[in-house]
């Protein structure tokens, strides 16, 4: 059923007039997100990896890599999907001590849109790169799991380390309802209910924190650059219902 509905949503989005690859939407939302601060071309500092045409608009993979001399001074990354109902996917605060950094997650894309990664340095400079993604219906696509299963596993966490690649992956089981999804039985919209804050620490040192919204995919998953200090890793999340989920993992993952 899910694959059929996704295919239909994708087809409808493909047949509808696609948003032109211009800056119209961005010009309307830019000030609300960043104010009037100047934004530099981030090509020398940021690499954004996103599919040109997504296979699943509700699970669009996205990777941001910080590189070059300026990478060590970047403290925050903001992800934006211009055409989404809530354009700001999330803001990632980086706790690492300098050096290059990579971050990956999965997002929802509601219609053909520019996806943007905006890096902010410690002294307030803004740098941006963008990629155009062809996808439709991601924010309204039905959840992959039924509500009973989602609640049964709510808050379960995983933390895995891939030492040879210098990265770790954290996952939280949560439906992350967007508020735009229709219950296929009742034909009513499922109220928005999503993870709004996720923090990862090693010992007392923050590795990263992320403020998210409805554009993050179901079961939020984060992959990021990681070098173990031998101290345990704590993953903590809070959702819009005020529920807090927390688990401690060994430094090598589990």
């Amino acid at each position: 059923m899910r694959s059929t509905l996704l295919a239909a949503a994708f087809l409808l989005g493909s047949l509808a007039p696609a948003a032109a690859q211009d800056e119209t939407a961005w010009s309307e939302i830019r000030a609300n997100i960043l104010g009037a601060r100047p934004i530099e071309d981030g090509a020398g500092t940021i690499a954004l990896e996103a599919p040109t045409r997504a296979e699943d608009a509700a699970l669009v993979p996205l990777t941001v890599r910080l590189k070059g001399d300026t990478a060590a001074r970047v403290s925050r990354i903001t992800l934006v999907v211009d055409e989404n109902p809530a354009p700001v996917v999330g803001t990632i605060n980086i706790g690492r001590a300098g050096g290059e950094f990579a971050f990956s997650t999965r997002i929802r894309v509601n219609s053909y849109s520019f996806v943007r990664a905006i890096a902010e340095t410690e002294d307030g400079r803004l740098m941006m790169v963008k990629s155009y993604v062809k996808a439709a219906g991601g924010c309204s696509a039905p959840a992959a799991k039924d509500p009973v299963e989602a609640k049964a596993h709510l808050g379960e966490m995983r933390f895995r380390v891939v030492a040879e690649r210098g990265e770790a992956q954290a996952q939280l089981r949560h439906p992350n309802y967007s508020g735009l999804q229709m219950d296929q039985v009742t034909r009513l919209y499922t109220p928005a209910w999503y993870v709004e804050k996720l923090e990862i620490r090693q010992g007392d040192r923050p590795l990263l924190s992320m403020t998210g919204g409805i554009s993050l995919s179901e079961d939020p998953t984060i992959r990021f650059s990681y070098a173990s200090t031998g101290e345990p890793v704590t993953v903590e999340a809070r959702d819009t219902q005020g529920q807090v989920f927390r688990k401690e993992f060994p430094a090598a993952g589990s």
Side-chain angles (χ1 to χ4, degrees):
M1 173 66 75
R2 173 176 166 82
S3 59
T4 301
L5 289 169
L6 285 172
F10 188 85
L11 179 59
L12 287 172
S14 300
L15 294 175
Q21 294 191 35
D22 59 28
E23 302 297 315
T24 301
W26 175 242
S27 66
E28 294 173 352
I29 63 177
R30 180 197 187 286
N32 288 332
I33 299 172
L34 300 170
R37 288 186 290 171
I39 305 175
E40 304 171 32
D41 182 353
T45 300
I46 321 163
L48 174 61
E49 300 170 12
T52 301
R53 184 179 294 276
E55 294 182 7
D56 187 338
L59 293 167
V60 180
L62 194 71
T63 297
V64 177
R65 301 184 189 278
L66 301 178
K67 56 185 181 176
D69 296 337
T70 311
R73 298 195 293 275
V74 173
S75 60
R76 179 178 299 171
I77 302 168
T78 299
L79 302 177
V80 177
V81 181
D82 290 3
E83 303 290 343
N84 272 13
V88 177
V89 176
T91 299
I92 301 96
N93 293 295
I94 307 169
R96 58 86 173 86
E100 297 187 348
F101 182 80
F103 170 91
S104 301
T105 191
R106 301 177 303 187
I107 68 172
R108 295 169 168 142
V109 176
N110 208 50
S111 61
Y112 286 24
S113 179
F114 276 116
V115 175
R116 302 172 191 269
I118 304 148
E120 182 173 353
T121 62
E122 295 167 346
D123 58 1
R125 289 175 59 195
L126 297 176
M127 291 162 285
M128 181 175 72
V129 292
K130 63 186 179 182
S131 181
Y132 197 75
V133 175
K134 295 179 180 179
C139 294
S140 57
K145 302 177 183 65
D146 66 55
V148 174
E149 181 184 359
K151 288 185 177 180
H153 296 282
L154 182 68
E156 292 181 2
M157 294 181 178
R158 296 177 183 174
F159 180 72
R160 185 171 65 94
V161 175
V162 185
E164 61 271 22
R165 286 170 26 194
E167 63 182 35
Q169 178 176 289
Q171 182 185 55
L172 170 67
R173 297 289 294 275
H174 197 287
N176 241 45
Y177 294 134
S178 68
L180 303 173
Q181 297 154 304
M182 182 180 290
D183 186 299
Q184 298 304 304
V185 176
T186 66
R187 308 302 292 173
L188 299 174
Y189 286 100
T190 303
W193 175 31
Y194 55 87
V195 176
E196 60 182 358
K197 187 67 177 289
L198 179 66
E199 297 177 300
I200 305 174
R201 302 186 301 274
Q202 184 158 52
D204 294 328
R205 182 172 65 92
L207 296 179
L208 63 83
S209 65
M210 181 172 68
T211 302
I214 67 169
S215 295
L216 276 178
S217 297
E218 180 178 357
D219 294 339
T221 301
I222 300 172
R223 193 171 71 247
F224 60 98
S225 297
Y226 173 80
S228 174
T229 63
E231 297 176 282
V233 172
T234 302
V235 181
E236 184 171 318
R238 183 183 69 245
D239 70 15
T240 52
Q241 291 186 357
Q243 297 181 89
V244 176
F245 313 99
R246 183 180 184 276
K247 188 171 183 179
E248 186 176 281
F249 299 89
S254 60

